[in-house]
Amino acid sequence: MFEWLLFILVTTLVLGRTRRVFAETDSFFDRSEGARFAHKWGYQDTRFEFDDPRTVRVTGNRYPLCGYRMPGFLPFVEEILQISITPDMAGKEMVYRDLPAPKLSTGFLEAIRAMLMENQ
């Protein structure tokens, strides 16, 4: 969870600021095939890793920020989110998990159908 929160935040910031750089090709990453996660967003070769207790980097090579050491990133995120981030907060990677069967609520579905019918 921690890695993906950081990844989404950094990607949003970097892509938002560098949009004009990539406007000609409109390609923000290497679109070549890569192993994607079956149960979550992203590629298996791309994640945040700690270089030391206060510095992170993004693995892989498909994004412009991959491979760069970012010593100022954790202090930035800690200030924005008002939390302290340490390497021991990183959870164990969940490779795959089966989803449970959906629990349908007929009352809820009927209420939604009725609401949608009213708005037609």
Side-chain angles (χ1 to χ4, degrees), residues 32-104:
S32 61
E33 288 298 313
R36 294 178 183 221
F37 289 105
H39 64 294
K40 62 184 179 183
W41 177 86
Y43 292 91
Q44 292 179 5
D45 67 343
T46 308
R47 64 187 169 278
F48 274 91
E49 287 185 347
F50 283 92
D51 278 343
D52 61 50
R54 299 301 303 156
T55 304
V56 295
R57 68 180 174 83
V58 177
T59 63
N61 62 6
R62 64 184 68 246
Y63 300 101
L65 57 95
C66 290
Y68 290 102
R69 295 187 82 233
M70 295 180 275
F73 182 70
L74 288 178
F76 169 75
V77 171
E78 289 174 336
E79 181 181 339
I80 297 296
L81 299 178
Q82 296 294 302
I83 61 170
S84 178
I85 299 172
T86 59
D88 61 318
M89 293 175 70
K92 184 176 177 181
E93 178 68 33
M94 186 178 301
V95 178
Y96 184 77
R97 187 173 97 184
D98 288 325
L99 296 175
K103 296 179 182 178
L104 300 177

Side-chain angles (χ1 to χ4, degrees), residues 18-32:
T18 60
R19 175 89 175 135
R20 62 184 165 273
V21 173
F22 294 96
E24 294 176 8
T25 60
D26 203 26
S27 178
F28 298 103
F29 61 93
D30 177 4
R31 294 187 186 272
S32 61

